[in-house]
Amino acid sequence: MITNRRTMSRIIISLGTNHDKYRNMSKAKDMLCGIFGSGISFTRSVETKPIGVVSADYLNALAVIETGMSYKEAEGCLKGIERECGRDRTKEPEVAMDIDILEYNGKKERLKDWERGYVKALMDELALD
């Protein structure tokens, strides 16, 4: 018997918002839990100063996901959540929700983001093997 079992992948994501921060962070986390269920865990959320733009402070968090989704599938899903939270790139520096893949199956993405203080601090909170 042949089965279509996908290999599970570990994804580390960052979430950030500077507009209606607490509502949008909660909405994004709820949507992520609805998609990934028990396969996702979050760090606490922390407020951070904007980098390179004049805007309101951000609310940031990290999460780790265990999923059978490919990189492209996961990225599409995350960008859909951004849109559901009201992301409109024409309104920047207002950011309703920004979700980025920092790591997919051990391959680091967005290398500059790894240098950010909140990423370094919150990585210790993720339950990683």
Side-chain angles (χ1 to χ4, degrees):
M1 174 188 234
I2 298 174
T3 60
N4 286 333
R5 293 177 56 185
R6 287 186 168 194
T7 302
M8 296 300 282
S9 299
R10 184 179 80 183
I11 305 172
I12 298 172
I13 62 170
S14 63
L15 299 89
T17 174
N18 70 359
H19 176 71
D20 205 358
K21 297 183 278 201
Y22 292 94
R23 184 184 69 79
N24 283 328
M25 184 63 76
S26 179
K27 182 175 182 177
K29 286 181 175 182
D30 286 348
M31 292 176 75
L32 288 162
C33 286
I35 294 166
F36 297 106
S38 63
I40 188 167
S41 61
F42 298 95
T43 65
R44 64 191 159 96
S45 296
V46 296
E47 291 209 17
T48 61
K49 297 290 182 197
I51 299 171
V53 296
V54 176
S55 75
D57 288 353
Y58 279 78
L59 187 64
N60 294 101
L62 301 180
V64 62
I65 302 167
E66 295 290 333
T67 182
M69 287 184 185
S70 70
Y71 184 98
K72 286 281 190 199
E73 290 169 326
E75 184 177 50
C77 175
L78 299 175
K79 297 307 171 189
I81 292 171
E82 285 183 0
R83 288 188 297 276
E84 287 291 320
C85 289
R87 180 78 188 257
D88 181 349
R89 293 184 187 277
T90 66
K91 293 184 177 181
E92 290 185 4
E94 179 183 288
V95 178
M97 180 53 60
D98 182 33
I99 307 174
D100 293 311
I101 296 174
L102 297 182
E103 184 178 293
Y104 184 85
N105 267 351
K107 182 180 183 288
K108 287 187 176 180
E109 306 286 336
R110 304 183 60 86
L111 297 179
K112 285 185 178 181
D113 288 359
W114 284 94
E115 298 303 314
R116 295 187 176 177
Y118 81 90
V119 172
K120 290 177 180 181
L122 294 178
M123 279 301 295
D124 290 337
E125 295 182 20
L126 292 178
L128 303 176
D129 300 354

